Amino acid sequence: MLGPRTTARVFARVPARSFNTSYGAWIDGKDYMPASATTFDVEDPARRTHLASILDSDAATVDKAVESARASFASGVWSRMDVRDRAEILHESARALRKQVPTYAANESIQTGRAIREMNAQLGRLPEWLEYFAAVIRTHEGHCPPFKGSYVNYVKRVPLGVCAQITPWNHPMLIAIKKIAPALAAGNSIVVKPSELAPITVMEFAKLMSECGLPDGVFNVVPGMGPCGAHLSAHPDLDMVDLTGGTPTGRKVHAAAGANLTPVLSELGGKAPMVVFNDADLDEAVNGTVFGSFVATGQTCIAGTRLLVQEDVYEDFVAKYVAKVKSIKIGDPKDPTTQMGPVINQSQLDKIAEFCEVGKAEGGKILCGGKKVDTAGFDPELKDGYYWEPTVIGDCSPNMRVVREEVFGPVVVAYPFKDEADAIAKANDSEFGLAASVWTKNIKKAHRVADQLDVGIVWLNDHHRNDPSSPWGGMKDSGVGRENGLEALNDTLCDFAGQGG
């Protein structure tokens, strides 16, 4: 539903943007702009206006960043720092970030188009990741396994070295901090390559951590287009690559890093099923599944994009679901009452339009949406924004392209299932295996079904929840390894064994 034109009074609650109009790389604790620099532009997807010019880091700049990270690691300034002091710098960074949440949220909103109400909620939790891993590293212990003979055999965990982190545009700060926090807590040095579509807040965060006492060279940032990421992932002087992105990109990164035997942690694509049984609280399920589908304008890897509903309540549930979707308020991301903003760019808008046409050609029925938003009732500044109506396609079947491929936008496909076995089979009928949700009042059924889903994350009567202590990652083509929790910390450490007589 299109809301009324917003007013200056509403926007007064949203901080003005606070970032530079030009950025280079961040290397060895300072801005770096080579003499012969190529730049690219970052735009506001709601207004299609220029926000900043960013350095497109070339191979030499990437090399310089990796060299800086390697030198800082070898010096021991961070890798051998007393773990209590390391933890305190992470805590100080968390305190500083918490004070800056309103500004960071506004900056995230303007560069991604995501509604400010969502960005405030998401970024408000980010300090928890720094605090969690600061606490975990202080209590992380080695062990003394048995060893034949009169020896003491001890094993301790030591940092890997230099970790490259390649992050996406849809959750710029959240996904970056999910990688940064455990890697730094473990004592590694890092080189972060943020998405060219939304690099600004990650660049600013590197400077903030420097101000909080992080030694120079420990946290480096190389913004850039595809070749920048390709050169970084293939760099021979890395000890780990950590990527969040699409599955095709993931395959390329795994192959490039594999040539150097560099381990890769990856969180890739998804096509999350939301399985609604006939004994669910249908009103609660409608609200929860609509949120799970269209939060972040559907541009998230765990978005609930496959709506599977038990056949005897299918028509009633989908009707309520569609009615709820039609009530979503689309508008200016800066307006706190806006529930959904634009998609990220023209390329994504074209991709979504193509998938909707494909869905119709395959026999699907557009139940709502399926076209660009009519922005006639918006502020004139927004008339050219990349707005797409939240879309539900019914009469779908599991073999359709729109069902099997990741759209990465506000498009949901709906189809029925017969019984529990059919629900599990249809939910698992996907090359992806990142996340799913199960909706039922029967707690035994909920756990029974969850246990049989080929995914890494399952929510029961909920969708799209996250916590620094809970492992996050997928199966099948959705990636390798886990973010969050002890698993993420351990992935950035390696075992060192020593024996003494």
Side-chain angles (χ1 to χ4, degrees), residues 13 47 82 137 190 210 290 317 390 451 455 490:
R13 288 177 283 174
R47 291 166 175 76
D82 188 294
I137 198 65
I190 61 175
S210 179
V290 169
F317 183 86
D451 189 55
V455 297
N490 288 334

PDB file of all heavy atoms in Angstrom, residues 13 47 82 137 190 210 290 317 390 451 455 490:
ATOM      1  N   ARG A  13      13.511  12.953  12.990  1.00  0.00           N
ATOM      2  CA  ARG A  13      13.976  11.937  13.939  1.00  0.00           C
ATOM      3  C   ARG A  13      15.120  11.101  13.382  1.00  0.00           C
ATOM      4  O   ARG A  13      15.710  10.302  14.075  1.00  0.00           O
ATOM      5  CB  ARG A  13      12.812  11.025  14.313  1.00  0.00           C
ATOM      6  CG  ARG A  13      11.778  11.688  15.212  1.00  0.00           C
ATOM      7  CD  ARG A  13      10.625  10.752  15.482  1.00  0.00           C
ATOM      8  NE  ARG A  13       9.727  10.686  14.340  1.00  0.00           N
ATOM      9  CZ  ARG A  13       8.698   9.850  14.252  1.00  0.00           C
ATOM     10  NH1 ARG A  13       8.469   8.999  15.238  1.00  0.00           N
ATOM     11  NH2 ARG A  13       7.912   9.847  13.199  1.00  0.00           N
ATOM     12  N   ARG A  47      16.715   7.449  -4.408  1.00  0.00           N
ATOM     13  CA  ARG A  47      16.695   8.707  -5.155  1.00  0.00           C
ATOM     14  C   ARG A  47      17.552   8.673  -6.418  1.00  0.00           C
ATOM     15  O   ARG A  47      17.486   9.566  -7.231  1.00  0.00           O
ATOM     16  CB  ARG A  47      17.177   9.848  -4.250  1.00  0.00           C
ATOM     17  CG  ARG A  47      16.196  10.158  -3.138  1.00  0.00           C
ATOM     18  CD  ARG A  47      16.807  11.035  -2.061  1.00  0.00           C
ATOM     19  NE  ARG A  47      15.797  11.406  -1.077  1.00  0.00           N
ATOM     20  CZ  ARG A  47      15.342  10.596  -0.137  1.00  0.00           C
ATOM     21  NH1 ARG A  47      15.807   9.372  -0.037  1.00  0.00           N
ATOM     22  NH2 ARG A  47      14.409  11.001   0.715  1.00  0.00           N
ATOM     23  N   ASP A  82      48.296  -9.486  25.146  1.00  0.00           N
ATOM     24  CA  ASP A  82      47.580 -10.161  26.230  1.00  0.00           C
ATOM     25  C   ASP A  82      46.092 -10.209  25.888  1.00  0.00           C
ATOM     26  O   ASP A  82      45.488  -9.195  25.509  1.00  0.00           O
ATOM     27  CB  ASP A  82      47.790  -9.409  27.543  1.00  0.00           C
ATOM     28  CG  ASP A  82      47.226 -10.165  28.739  1.00  0.00           C
ATOM     29  OD1 ASP A  82      45.986 -10.333  28.809  1.00  0.00           O
ATOM     30  OD2 ASP A  82      48.007 -10.588  29.596  1.00  0.00           O
ATOM     31  N   ILE A 137      36.883 -15.029  24.090  1.00  0.00           N
ATOM     32  CA  ILE A 137      38.331 -15.201  23.966  1.00  0.00           C
ATOM     33  C   ILE A 137      39.010 -15.155  25.336  1.00  0.00           C
ATOM     34  O   ILE A 137      40.050 -15.777  25.550  1.00  0.00           O
ATOM     35  CB  ILE A 137      38.934 -14.147  23.008  1.00  0.00           C
ATOM     36  CG1 ILE A 137      40.316 -14.585  22.533  1.00  0.00           C
ATOM     37  CG2 ILE A 137      38.984 -12.776  23.647  1.00  0.00           C
ATOM     38  CD1 ILE A 137      40.325 -15.832  21.687  1.00  0.00           C
ATOM     39  N   ILE A 190      43.292  -8.681   9.435  1.00  0.00           N
ATOM     40  CA  ILE A 190      42.283  -8.887   8.413  1.00  0.00           C
ATOM     41  C   ILE A 190      42.400  -7.866   7.282  1.00  0.00           C
ATOM     42  O   ILE A 190      42.899  -6.755   7.469  1.00  0.00           O
ATOM     43  CB  ILE A 190      40.857  -8.835   9.005  1.00  0.00           C
ATOM     44  CG1 ILE A 190      40.574  -7.475   9.643  1.00  0.00           C
ATOM     45  CG2 ILE A 190      40.658  -9.950  10.014  1.00  0.00           C
ATOM     46  CD1 ILE A 190      39.136  -7.307  10.149  1.00  0.00           C
ATOM     47  N   SER A 210      40.209   1.857  14.946  1.00  0.00           N
ATOM     48  CA  SER A 210      41.538   2.441  15.112  1.00  0.00           C
ATOM     49  C   SER A 210      41.536   3.461  16.238  1.00  0.00           C
ATOM     50  O   SER A 210      42.446   3.496  17.077  1.00  0.00           O
ATOM     51  CB  SER A 210      41.988   3.090  13.797  1.00  0.00           C
ATOM     52  OG  SER A 210      43.260   3.687  13.933  1.00  0.00           O
ATOM     53  N   VAL A 290       5.155 -13.181   6.600  1.00  0.00           N
ATOM     54  CA  VAL A 290       5.296 -11.956   5.796  1.00  0.00           C
ATOM     55  C   VAL A 290       6.555 -11.202   6.206  1.00  0.00           C
ATOM     56  O   VAL A 290       7.315 -10.720   5.348  1.00  0.00           O
ATOM     57  CB  VAL A 290       4.042 -11.059   5.919  1.00  0.00           C
ATOM     58  CG1 VAL A 290       4.294  -9.682   5.300  1.00  0.00           C
ATOM     59  CG2 VAL A 290       2.856 -11.721   5.236  1.00  0.00           C
ATOM     60  N   PHE A 317      -5.126 -19.531   4.050  1.00  0.00           N
ATOM     61  CA  PHE A 317      -3.889 -18.929   4.541  1.00  0.00           C
ATOM     62  C   PHE A 317      -3.292 -17.978   3.503  1.00  0.00           C
ATOM     63  O   PHE A 317      -2.885 -16.856   3.825  1.00  0.00           O
ATOM     64  CB  PHE A 317      -2.864 -20.003   4.913  1.00  0.00           C
ATOM     65  CG  PHE A 317      -1.598 -19.428   5.483  1.00  0.00           C
ATOM     66  CD1 PHE A 317      -1.508 -19.150   6.835  1.00  0.00           C
ATOM     67  CD2 PHE A 317      -0.514 -19.138   4.676  1.00  0.00           C
ATOM     68  CE1 PHE A 317      -0.352 -18.595   7.373  1.00  0.00           C
ATOM     69  CE2 PHE A 317       0.643 -18.590   5.195  1.00  0.00           C
ATOM     70  CZ  PHE A 317       0.723 -18.310   6.554  1.00  0.00           C
ATOM     71  N   PRO A 390       5.947  -5.717  -3.472  1.00  0.00           N
ATOM     72  CA  PRO A 390       6.078  -7.057  -2.886  1.00  0.00           C
ATOM     73  C   PRO A 390       5.162  -8.023  -3.629  1.00  0.00           C
ATOM     74  O   PRO A 390       3.970  -7.748  -3.802  1.00  0.00           O
ATOM     75  CB  PRO A 390       5.658  -6.867  -1.426  1.00  0.00           C
ATOM     76  CG  PRO A 390       4.890  -5.584  -1.398  1.00  0.00           C
ATOM     77  CD  PRO A 390       5.433  -4.733  -2.507  1.00  0.00           C
ATOM     78  N   ASP A 451      14.207 -31.560  12.414  1.00  0.00           N
ATOM     79  CA  ASP A 451      15.324 -32.506  12.423  1.00  0.00           C
ATOM     80  C   ASP A 451      15.555 -33.149  11.058  1.00  0.00           C
ATOM     81  O   ASP A 451      16.639 -33.670  10.793  1.00  0.00           O
ATOM     82  CB  ASP A 451      15.058 -33.592  13.470  1.00  0.00           C
ATOM     83  CG  ASP A 451      16.262 -34.488  13.694  1.00  0.00           C
ATOM     84  OD1 ASP A 451      17.345 -33.945  14.002  1.00  0.00           O
ATOM     85  OD2 ASP A 451      16.116 -35.722  13.550  1.00  0.00           O
ATOM     86  N   VAL A 455      18.962 -28.168   6.149  1.00  0.00           N
ATOM     87  CA  VAL A 455      19.372 -26.769   6.240  1.00  0.00           C
ATOM     88  C   VAL A 455      20.220 -26.581   7.494  1.00  0.00           C
ATOM     89  O   VAL A 455      20.209 -27.426   8.400  1.00  0.00           O
ATOM     90  CB  VAL A 455      18.150 -25.814   6.287  1.00  0.00           C
ATOM     91  CG1 VAL A 455      17.337 -25.914   5.007  1.00  0.00           C
ATOM     92  CG2 VAL A 455      17.276 -26.100   7.494  1.00  0.00           C
ATOM     93  N   ASN A 490      36.710 -20.755  16.465  1.00  0.00           N
ATOM     94  CA  ASN A 490      37.634 -21.863  16.212  1.00  0.00           C
ATOM     95  C   ASN A 490      38.085 -21.925  14.758  1.00  0.00           C
ATOM     96  O   ASN A 490      39.202 -22.376  14.464  1.00  0.00           O
ATOM     97  CB  ASN A 490      36.985 -23.190  16.616  1.00  0.00           C
ATOM     98  CG  ASN A 490      36.878 -23.351  18.119  1.00  0.00           C
ATOM     99  OD1 ASN A 490      37.664 -22.759  18.871  1.00  0.00           O
ATOM    100  ND2 ASN A 490      35.915 -24.125  18.576  1.00  0.00           N
TER     101      ASN A 490
END
